[in-house]
Amino acid sequence: MELLSAFRAEFNVPLTKVVMGLRSAVETAKAPVVVAQRLKRQPRMITKLTRFPQMDLSRMQDIGGCRAILPDHYAVKRVQRRVERQTSKVVSMDDYNEAPKPSGYRAVHMVVERDGTLVEMQLRTTWQQEWATLVEDIDGAYGLTLKDDEGADEVLGYLRLLATAQEARYAAGRFDAPGARQLNEARQVAVDWLTRRGVSS
Amino acid sequence: MSVLHYLLVYDLRRRTLISAEEFRSADEATAAYGRAERDHVGQEGLEIVLVGADSLDTLRQTHGHYFSDGEPRVTLPELAAT
């Protein structure tokens, strides 16, 4: 545990540098600067190593992570292009707006290399952030791991629909909106399932 | 802009933030992070995380999960009629 903690501490300086770059990219994109960083929790690092036993810790891409919350997809695109231009080493880019995760999670993730370490950047719109917060709240309250795309279809089905509905509402024209009735029925299924499960104690 | 580091201790079941210790030094913050995790090892109801931003208010927007309302049940949003 001491070793893991010391290893993680090495990410702090490069992470802070990447955050400065991200802040500057957001400013240039003329968006409000809502940017934060976090060092991965040790239990999450261990869970990830257990889920992907072949994973090399030094290549874990999100020990140092940062996040910008942006008003809309136009701002996300502007920031993304800015980061690509200012950072020579974009190691990978995952556009979960084009291909959402099974849970319905949407964002743009970029991994950049800085001082020999990898740092993950997440670009989310405000509504995507609200959705992701909801998922974390449910996971915490009910002892679930929906965040990792694992869990009952009763809940994941609702979350997927909700994410699509939000995109349809805020990014009009890009998606077909599920009807209010369809979403609210899915919501009831999720509520029933969660009620049966009960909050963790 | 200097980063303020916050060591958050969050109670998952009560859905409340127990503490938010502020650090200006990244080294002190990471050392405290490791210590806090060691002190609470195995306590699955607690989430301990080190986050940083220009202010606690920014963190409310970027890491809202740690600033939830303390209600035991999570309210699932409905789709309001458009």
Side-chain angles (χ1 to χ4, degrees), chain A residues 33-67:
Chain A
V33 183
V34 183
V35 172
Q37 65 194 66
R38 74 101 185 77
L39 273 184
K40 202 171 185 71
R41 302 187 293 116
Q42 285 192 63
R44 286 290 293 176
M45 289 165 74
I46 293 163
T47 304
K48 205 159 194 176
L49 287 172
T50 312
R51 281 179 79 207
F52 306 101
Q54 73 283 17
M55 182 179 270
D56 174 358
L57 191 60
S58 69
R59 302 307 287 174
M60 197 182 277
Q61 299 187 331
D62 63 342
I63 292 175
C66 56
R67 181 179 293 165

Side-chain angles (χ1 to χ4, degrees), chain A residues 91-121:
Chain A
V91 177
S92 68
M93 206 277 288
D94 287 304
D95 188 340
Y96 297 116
N97 289 319
E98 292 302 323
K101 286 194 178 189
S103 62
Y105 176 85
R106 284 170 169 84
V108 170
H109 287 194
M110 302 169 89
V111 176
V112 300
E113 193 174 329
R114 186 78 198 227
D115 302 343
T117 64
L118 299 176
V119 175
E120 186 186 75
M121 275 184 194

Side-chain angles (χ1 to χ4, degrees), chain A residues 109-178:
Chain A
H109 287 194
M110 302 169 89
V111 176
V112 300
E113 193 174 329
R114 186 78 198 227
D115 302 343
T117 64
L118 299 176
V119 175
E120 186 186 75
M121 275 184 194
Q122 300 177 345
L123 310 180
R124 296 178 178 172
T125 63
T126 43
W127 62 91
Q128 290 170 345
Q129 173 63 16
E130 277 173 29
W131 181 94
T133 302
L134 173 70
V135 174
E136 288 193 308
D137 284 350
I138 297 172
D139 276 352
Y142 295 90
L144 303 173
T145 52
L146 301 163
K147 190 177 162 179
D148 298 325
D149 301 303
E150 298 166 348
D153 277 336
E154 286 87 339
V155 185
L156 284 171
Y158 160 73
L159 290 171
R160 272 194 294 271
L161 271 182
L162 179 66
T164 308
Q166 287 176 330
E167 290 298 329
R169 169 164 289 188
Y170 295 110
R174 293 193 65 197
F175 297 93
D176 291 330

Side-chain angles (χ1 to χ4, degrees), chain A residues 1-2 5 8 12 16 20 23 34-43 67 69 129 133-134 136-138 140-142 158 165 169 178 180 183-184 187 190-191 199-200, chain B residues 1 3 5 12-13 15 26 30 33-34 37-38 41 47-54 58-59 61-66 68 72-82:
Chain A
M1 224 177 149
E2 297 294 324
S5 176
R8 182 180 58 189
N12 224 346
T16 302
M20 291 304 158
R23 292 183 65 90
V34 183
V35 172
Q37 65 194 66
R38 74 101 185 77
L39 273 184
K40 202 171 185 71
R41 302 187 293 116
Q42 285 192 63
R67 181 179 293 165
I69 310 303
Q129 173 63 16
T133 302
L134 173 70
E136 288 193 308
D137 284 350
I138 297 172
Y142 295 90
Y158 160 73
R169 169 164 289 188
L183 185 104
N184 293 334
R187 177 186 174 276
V191 168
V199 289
S200 49
Chain B
M1 206 272 328
V3 180
H5 303 273
L12 286 164
R13 281 151 201 173
R15 300 186 68 216
T30 43
Y33 191 12
E37 283 179 324
R38 201 182 49 220
V41 74
E47 218 165 272
I48 297 162
V49 69
L50 183 65
V51 287
D54 54 358
T58 296
L59 288 170
Q61 297 174 68
T62 57
H63 291 79
H65 165 59
Y66 299 113
S68 47
R73 279 182 179 72
V74 181
T75 306
L76 306 190
E78 293 183 46
L79 188 66
T82 45

